[in-house]
Amino acid sequence: MRDASETEKAVRLYAGTVYGIALSHTGSKADADDVFQETFLAFHSSAKVFHDDEHIKAWLIRTAVNMSRRAVCGKHRRAEELDENMPGGRFEFAADEQNDIADAIRALPEKYRAVIWLHYFEDMPVKDIAKALGARESTIRSQLMRGRERLKELLGKDWFEDE
Amino acid sequence: MNKIFEDMKTQAMPDESTVNALIESLPEKPRKRGIRFSHIAAAAAAALSMLTITAGAVSDWTFSFLGDFSSAFGEKTEAYNIVESASYSNSASDMTFELVGVSADVNIFRVMLDIYPPEGTEFTEENKPCMNDNITFDFYLLNAHKGYGASGRFDVLSDTPQKMRVMWTYSCSAGIEDREIEFVAKKMTRTKDENAVNTDGNSIITDNEGSVIKTEEIWYTRIKTGSAPQKVKYEPGGQAIDLDRLPDSDERCRIFVTSAEIGSMSVKLNGLIRGDLVWRDSTFTAVKTDGTPVGLIFSGGSTIGGEPSSGLKDGDIILLFDDIVDPADIASVTINGTELVFK
């Protein structure tokens, strides 16, 4: 069991990263809240020794991705989908085009979502994403490229052109 | 960063109340729980686990890492795997074993095993671990009543005591359930002793030179899984199973039925123990009560984890039929011509 202050510090540092991953997968505020809390509770309960903050971040990212998958899977398994209009349903961004982008990301094959989110929204370089997700850099590059192509098809515009 | 993304990121934050609720609820003591299951979503998914292994320091021992994994996923009813390719690469920075296959519903699955030296170091020719081709990797999809799944193992032998990090990745376009892993670390030694004592009662492995690997301790991970098959339907027995490589067969065998609807069945051979690969050389046949032979898409795979997703136990063999077959219609199953008699 980790010291609460250590967990709180991690929450303060990486809440956005974890929540963003959760939202990019689930699209639901309620589910993202769950993933967010489950991820940090897992961190709190874990006896894993971390070398530094980057190590913690990588672990949280991987755990958040896994938790998100689980959340999506559980949702898909329910006989009836939750009504997105229910409270806690679909997360609404402020602008329509932002919602379109979020929807498009969620429409991607799952393996592209976290990669796209981490690279374009978290500004993480390929190398760091590869390390966090336990994949090869070449795999991440390939996923970024394919994800971007899909998004371009879905959105009719390449929002994700590297600057 | 693109301005619009930056704006979205700013919005994609938990409410302060959610954060506070989390922080205030942090438990001071661990919650009681057993193995925790993580169910991963549909669509392409990857299960990752990392383990640091520290082998012992006895130079004439072979150290081994065994990884058992199994997953159940989806709501599919049929899935038979076809191994398309297997590759193995080895470099100073890592060694990779990759297996790619296609399941019956044309989902591509891929299993990768990456083995790394300790951080900041490289493998040398002297300390590089090697794959034992004979027993390196068993992989099969199996039908379980909740869907289908995968189960497999890998085995890395290294002649030199060292640390290594192992990561395995399993991905499939159909998605998987991931399981939190229970790590059980033991140590293995190789011996030429054909009468090796199975000290822990469940592991004797033969290496690619025909030597029996005596199990004293084995490094292995176990992934507990929960999608148990239907309960045993038959309790057959009464006929000796005489298989050349079956180390300790006895007078009984049992048939387990994993799922009537999806045409699969597993065979339990007493005496067939974890890691034994007798099935590789075995021929299975099944005949229905009307005398019609049942095609077997796949057979084999003694289980190794103790409790893979099917709930099968050590020694279980899975038979996947090429048609939807009610196991009640199966009159007999033979192994290498020896009929297993149902009670």
Side-chain angles (χ1 to χ4, degrees):
Chain A
M1 183 64 62
R2 211 168 291 282
D3 186 85
S5 63
E6 187 184 350
T7 304
E8 183 174 352
K9 181 188 168 195
V11 171
R12 300 294 179 196
L13 276 174
Y14 303 117
T17 302
V18 168
Y19 202 78
I21 290 168
L23 262 188
S24 69
H25 281 70
T26 66
S28 151
K29 183 181 183 317
D31 286 339
D33 283 350
D34 285 348
V35 168
F36 167 76
Q37 296 198 343
E38 285 294 319
T39 300
F40 282 105
L41 283 173
F43 173 80
H44 186 65
S45 303
S46 169
K48 185 172 180 62
V49 177
F50 295 99
H51 311 309
D52 50 34
D53 284 349
E54 285 305 304
H55 192 191
I56 292 174
K57 183 180 180 183
W59 188 90
L60 287 170
I61 286 172
R62 194 156 60 235
T63 304
V65 169
N66 285 341
M67 295 279 188
S68 299
R69 289 170 178 158
R70 185 175 64 176
V72 173
C73 186
K75 191 173 180 178
H76 285 172
R77 284 180 172 182
R78 286 199 286 271
E80 295 179 6
E81 291 287 338
L82 290 175
D83 184 346
E84 289 190 340
N85 298 318
M86 289 172 62
R90 183 176 187 248
F91 184 93
E92 290 287 344
F93 286 94
D96 286 346
E97 65 184 3
Q98 293 174 339
N99 284 314
D100 290 344
I101 291 171
D103 288 345
I105 291 173
R106 219 164 46 253
L108 289 174
E110 189 278 333
K111 63 184 172 187
Y112 300 145
R113 283 181 224 154
V115 175
I116 290 284
W117 185 269
L118 291 171
H119 188 65
Y120 291 104
F121 294 81
E122 291 289 330
D123 244 358
M124 282 178 69
V126 167
K127 184 180 178 184
D128 291 355
I129 297 173
K131 194 173 177 184
L133 296 181
R136 295 175 169 198
E137 289 182 35
S138 58
T139 302
I140 299 299
R141 274 193 213 95
S142 160
Q143 290 179 344
L144 271 177
M145 186 187 73
R146 289 174 186 164
R148 222 179 85 182
E149 285 170 358
R150 290 279 191 96
L151 286 170
K152 190 177 175 182
E153 290 169 14
L154 290 166
L155 294 166
K157 176 182 175 183
D158 193 357
W159 286 97
F160 295 86
E161 190 174 8
D162 280 318
E163 294 159 15
Chain B
M1 188 194 302
N2 186 314
K3 178 73 176 65
I4 195 170
F5 298 159
E6 198 170 354
D7 191 28
M8 287 174 72
K9 185 187 171 189
T10 306
Q11 295 175 59
M13 290 289 288
D15 295 338
E16 193 58 28
S17 59
T18 304
V19 175
N20 290 336
L22 166 65
I23 291 171
E24 287 165 12
S25 68
L26 291 174
E28 294 178 0
K29 292 180 181 176
R31 288 176 292 184
K32 278 190 176 180
R33 66 181 193 187
I35 296 300
R36 182 176 173 182
F37 299 151
S38 302
H39 306 283
I40 293 189
L48 305 175
S49 66
M50 183 173 279
L51 171 67
T52 298
I53 306 166
T54 307
V58 182
S59 59
D60 58 347
W61 281 18
T62 293
F63 299 93
S64 175
F65 170 77
L66 293 179
D68 297 346
F69 63 91
S70 58
S71 305
F73 48 88
E75 298 294 335
K76 308 290 184 181
T77 56
E78 293 178 308
Y80 308 118
N81 65 314
I82 304 166
V83 174
E84 290 288 306
S85 67
S87 63
Y88 166 52
S89 65
N90 206 336
S91 72
S93 59
D94 71 281
M95 55 188 290
T96 299
F97 184 83
E98 181 172 0
L99 182 147
V100 178
V102 182
S103 60
D105 52 0
V106 204
N107 280 310
I108 294 175
F109 62 82
R110 181 166 170 267
V111 182
M112 285 186 67
L113 173 65
D114 279 301
I115 299 162
Y116 304 92
E119 285 181 346
T121 66
E122 287 190 341
F123 287 137
T124 65
E125 286 306 315
E126 290 72 35
N127 74 2
K128 191 184 296 181
C130 60
M131 285 284 189
N132 181 328
D133 291 335
N134 221 19
I135 55 175
T136 293
F137 211 93
D138 296 335
F139 183 84
Y140 53 89
L141 292 176
L142 55 88
N143 284 311
H145 81 290
K146 285 179 67 177
Y148 64 101
S151 184
R153 60 174 293 186
F154 49 84
D155 187 350
V156 182
L157 299 181
S158 169
D159 287 328
T160 308
Q162 62 183 293
K163 288 183 179 180
M164 31 182 173
R165 293 178 296 138
V166 174
M167 174 178 290
W168 63 264
T169 305
Y170 169 71
S171 59
C172 174
S173 49
I176 65 171
E177 283 185 3
D178 185 20
R179 309 290 183 172
E180 185 169 316
I181 295 171
E182 175 189 48
F183 291 108
V184 181
K186 293 183 179 179
K187 187 170 59 183
M188 174 183 283
T189 180
R190 177 161 39 189
T191 172
K192 294 287 184 184
D193 181 5
E194 295 294 334
N195 299 310
V197 177
N198 186 11
T199 54
D200 67 359
N202 59 13
S203 295
I204 289 180
I205 295 175
T206 306
D207 70 9
N208 58 0
E209 296 172 357
S211 305
V212 173
I213 296 174
K214 178 182 174 183
T215 302
E216 289 190 350
E217 293 180 277
I218 296 178
W219 296 95
Y220 69 95
T221 65
R222 174 181 298 172
I223 299 176
K224 293 266 190 176
T225 55
S227 52
Q230 292 179 346
K231 290 186 177 178
V232 175
K233 195 166 182 178
Y234 295 116
E235 194 67 29
Q239 178 133 359
I241 306 301
D242 182 18
L243 297 171
D244 290 341
R245 296 178 56 200
L246 195 60
D248 188 24
S249 61
D250 64 15
E251 297 295 310
R252 300 181 59 223
C253 66
R254 290 179 293 164
I255 302 291
F256 287 178
V257 177
T258 56
S259 174
E261 307 84 55
I262 54 180
S264 69
M265 121 191 287
S266 70
V267 180
K268 172 78 174 180
L269 298 179
N270 287 349
L272 181 62
I273 54 176
R274 184 173 65 192
D276 193 280
L277 300 179
V278 64
W279 57 269
R280 283 185 188 280
D281 301 325
S282 303
T283 301
F284 295 79
T285 65
V287 179
K288 289 203 281 189
T289 48
D290 63 2
T292 312
V294 182
L296 288 169
I297 292 263
F298 174 82
S299 61
S302 68
T303 61
I304 18 88
E307 295 179 85
S309 61
S310 64
L312 305 177
K313 303 297 183 186
D314 290 350
D316 289 353
I317 291 175
I318 295 163
L319 306 179
L320 300 181
F321 303 130
D322 65 358
D323 199 357
I324 305 300
V325 176
D326 183 345
D329 286 339
I330 300 296
S332 68
V333 173
T334 67
I335 300 177
N336 293 346
T338 301
E339 185 173 347
L340 310 182
V341 179
F342 295 7
K343 269 185 179 176

